[in-house]
Amino acid sequence: MKRVILTLIFLIPNISFASGGVQLQHANNDITDKASLQQGAKLFVNYCIGCHTAKYMRYQRIGKDLGLTNEELQDNLMFSAEKVGETLDIAMDKDDAKKWFGVIPPDLSVTARSRGTDWLYTYLLSFYLDPSRPNGVNNLVFKDVGMPHVLWERQGWQKLVDHKLELVNKEDEAKAKQYRQDVRNLVNFLDYVGEPNKAARYDLGWKVILYLAIFFLFAYALKKEYWRDIH
């Protein structure tokens, strides 16, 4: 019990730090939704892969899991690759990336697993204008982030007012609402990339539990039969 308590004590500060003291919003993503995953993949290759890699995932695997043909992959997702067997990598030099952004943009293959989908979802919704920063933006979840807000045109600019985010232009409310769905799709795709077999594992899990439950009934009945004469 003492070991469990000590573990929780050490984990609590880490959880607080990871969210930057911000209440995380629920992503409510669904990795079984192939339409969402396809939209998320499009957003990733159009807005993220210019700087970030997902080098543990191959285009071919995406096509297989998301129901896309090789032709659809090449027409819609493969802007920086020639063969479907290639990974989601980029040609950006690491030294150039560090000079431009201050840090080397991380690979996003397992970010959803390490950070959590709620963290990613809240992070992508939490950019706001900050003239003091080199890229002109900051983030509530990740203070002094080096990443620019590459999706700002889909959301509209936000400003920080009394520790809360507000749209600079109220006319962007409809766009910002759609942006939330865009972010959910993107996070959904990153969740899938982090563990492509998760959906299959979940589908198999309830079947295994059902099998064990049925097996328990037969085992219990057999046990009662064996012990009947002893009692």
Side-chain angles (χ1 to χ4, degrees):
M1 177 61 73
K2 289 182 178 179
R3 183 176 298 176
V4 173
I5 294 174
L6 287 174
T7 302
L8 289 174
I9 290 174
F10 282 110
L11 278 177
I12 290 173
N14 292 333
I15 294 172
S16 177
F17 174 77
S19 63
V22 177
Q23 182 67 37
L24 297 181
Q25 302 178 54
H26 295 299
N28 294 322
N29 60 300
D30 178 8
I31 57 173
T32 65
D33 186 346
K34 289 189 177 182
S36 172
L37 292 174
Q38 290 173 3
Q39 291 299 318
K42 288 182 180 179
L43 288 169
F44 182 84
V45 298
N46 279 283
Y47 291 94
C48 305
I49 205 171
C51 300
H52 295 280
T53 60
K55 58 187 178 182
Y56 297 106
M57 173 59 68
R58 297 184 183 277
Y59 289 100
Q60 191 174 40
R61 176 63 189 268
I62 293 174
K64 178 183 177 182
D65 291 344
L66 274 56
L68 301 172
T69 65
N70 289 349
E71 290 74 19
E72 289 173 328
L73 284 173
Q74 292 169 342
D75 293 342
N76 298 290
L77 300 182
M78 295 175 58
F79 304 133
S80 59
E82 297 181 357
K83 299 179 180 180
V84 294
E86 293 183 40
T87 60
L88 277 67
D89 208 346
I90 58 175
M92 180 188 293
D93 183 76
K94 292 183 178 181
D95 292 333
D96 289 338
K98 190 170 184 178
K99 180 173 63 177
W100 295 333
F101 304 111
V103 294
I104 299 174
D107 179 83
L108 300 182
S109 299
V110 294
T111 301
R113 297 183 66 180
S114 62
R115 291 285 194 175
T117 54
D118 289 349
W119 187 95
L120 273 177
Y121 180 71
T122 309
Y123 166 73
L124 291 170
L125 293 174
S126 299
F127 282 94
Y128 63 91
L129 291 171
D130 184 352
S132 67
R133 298 295 301 155
N135 290 315
V137 294
N138 212 324
N139 192 286
L140 281 180
V141 176
F142 196 142
K143 183 175 173 54
D144 297 337
V145 65
M147 173 181 163
H149 187 16
V150 295
L151 292 162
W152 74 269
E153 290 182 312
R154 304 185 74 95
Q155 179 188 29
W157 291 115
Q158 295 187 123
K159 59 183 178 180
L160 188 63
V161 180
D162 296 329
H163 305 291
K164 294 182 179 180
L165 297 175
E166 296 180 1
L167 287 170
V168 173
N169 297 315
K170 296 297 183 181
E171 296 79 6
D172 289 332
E173 287 184 357
K175 186 163 60 173
K177 184 178 180 180
Q178 177 57 44
Y179 176 70
R180 284 184 170 273
Q181 184 58 50
D182 290 340
V183 171
R184 185 168 285 111
N185 292 337
L186 179 56
V187 170
N188 203 24
F189 176 70
L190 290 174
D191 190 16
Y192 153 75
V193 168
E195 190 177 352
N197 288 323
K198 181 187 285 189
R201 180 166 57 82
Y202 283 0
D203 182 61
L204 181 62
W206 72 266
K207 296 176 182 177
V208 172
I209 292 174
L210 179 61
Y211 168 78
L212 291 175
I214 295 174
F215 176 78
F216 171 78
L217 294 177
F218 281 103
Y220 182 75
L222 185 62
K223 175 258 182 186
K224 295 283 288 184
E225 183 65 25
Y226 273 126
W227 287 83
R228 179 186 300 174
D229 295 336
I230 298 178
H231 293 295

